[in-house]
Amino acid sequence: LSGEIWANSEIEVTITFRPDTAAEYACSAFLDVIGRDERLPLWLTGNGIGPKGMLSYDVLDIGDVFINSRHRYELVVTNKGDIPAAWRLRQPTTPFAPKFTFEPTSGSLAVGATQELTIDFCSDILGEFSEQFSIELQGSDELLTCQFKGHVVGPTFHFDVDVIDFGVVSYEFSHHKTITLYNTADIAMKYTLSVPQDGTFVKKEFQVTPDAGELQPGDSCDIEIVLVSSTVKTYDYYLTVDVEGVGQALLSIPIVAECRVPDVRIEGPSL
């Protein structure tokens, strides 16, 4: 930083540049010589290069996934720079972001090294999502980003009929129909069956057995519907299916019937 130089001689001065972040640097240094009024300026410039990384992919389209089902994916982080890189995951605050679990969420990579991240996804809410996760590299203002997009759907199921048709039924007589409920999803479903219009004005006329239960993936269940009509009318009702944790009335099929009474008359007007 200071010293004495003999006439017609020189001295070597070492200047060390060690940036602590990726940016362009510039400053002035001055040489103060005893006996001179003006200092000699020295303009110093440099470009700090931070760590550089790369992800194995930028976008992952998960597609349709069932609610409450677990899925696992892998993401690889690679250090492509010339210095070690310390990294940390930046978690967004959107509704679907907490449904993703990363392991690990931070670490350090030597030059040319890679780190495999395990990503677990399980959602208890329905809907489409597009989540962008970022990885920060210490000493760099550039982010490594990866987008996950897809659609969380409820369990898929159906009946073996499109309509429950009792036809013409007799007043106060019992009439039976049996249908089958199929679970075509890869997850179990807890269901509840009901006829919402039944019992609105008069006593309940429909009995559903069983009216609730749980179906494992690929299973089916026979459902018996018993109608004892206490009203002379035409029925245009629905059998609805509620799924626990998913929603109400996710599926409904029509129930049709017509209740009649015999036409009774006396042949003779007098006895």
Side-chain angles (χ1 to χ4, degrees), residues 58-269:
D58 299 327
V59 179
L60 178 61
D61 190 350
I62 297 176
D64 291 340
V65 294
F66 289 113
I67 189 172
N68 293 323
S69 62
R70 296 189 176 274
H71 302 268
R72 173 163 290 187
Y73 309 96
E74 293 179 351
L75 179 66
V76 178
V77 186
T78 305
N79 184 357
K80 304 294 289 185
D82 298 324
I83 58 175
W87 64 273
R88 181 176 66 89
L89 177 70
R90 178 185 291 181
Q91 188 92 0
T93 57
T94 49
F96 276 96
K99 315 305 176 185
F100 291 86
T101 303
F102 286 74
E103 180 62 35
T105 58
S106 62
S108 181
L109 290 172
V111 177
T114 60
Q115 173 72 61
E116 185 178 282
L117 279 64
T118 301
I119 306 167
D120 291 319
F121 176 71
C122 182
S123 175
D124 58 352
I125 56 177
L126 299 172
E128 293 187 1
F129 62 89
S130 179
E131 301 296 328
Q132 181 167 291
F133 293 88
S134 302
I135 292 180
E136 300 175 347
L137 298 178
Q138 184 177 341
S140 175
D141 55 358
E142 295 183 1
L143 298 176
L144 305 180
T145 60
C146 183
Q147 181 187 18
F148 294 85
K149 60 182 181 179
H151 187 201
V152 180
V153 297
T156 54
F157 53 92
H158 65 86
F159 290 104
D160 61 339
V161 295
D162 297 327
V163 59
I164 305 172
D165 189 357
F166 282 92
V168 178
V169 298
S170 299
Y171 179 80
E172 289 288 358
F173 277 80
S174 176
H175 301 270
H176 301 253
K177 287 287 184 180
T178 301
I179 61 176
T180 304
L181 176 63
Y182 294 90
N183 179 11
T184 56
D186 295 331
I187 56 174
M189 56 172 283
K190 293 183 178 180
Y191 66 89
T192 301
L193 304 176
S194 63
V195 182
Q197 304 95 327
D198 188 27
T200 303
F201 303 105
V202 293
K203 68 178 183 179
K204 288 187 171 294
E205 300 170 299
F206 289 90
Q207 180 181 353
V208 181
T209 308
D211 60 356
E214 181 175 358
L215 281 178
Q216 297 301 318
D219 282 355
S220 61
C221 178
D222 290 336
I223 310 294
E224 184 183 41
I225 300 97
V226 179
L227 168 61
V228 179
S229 178
S230 59
T231 309
V232 180
K233 67 174 185 177
T234 298
Y235 292 84
D236 188 11
Y237 288 3
Y238 288 89
L239 176 67
T240 62
V241 184
D242 301 338
V243 179
E244 181 179 323
V246 180
Q248 297 182 340
L250 298 181
L251 176 65
S252 61
I253 58 173
I255 301 176
V256 295
E258 183 184 358
C259 178
R260 296 180 183 175
V261 294
D263 183 14
V264 180
R265 62 182 184 273
I266 300 175
E267 291 186 358

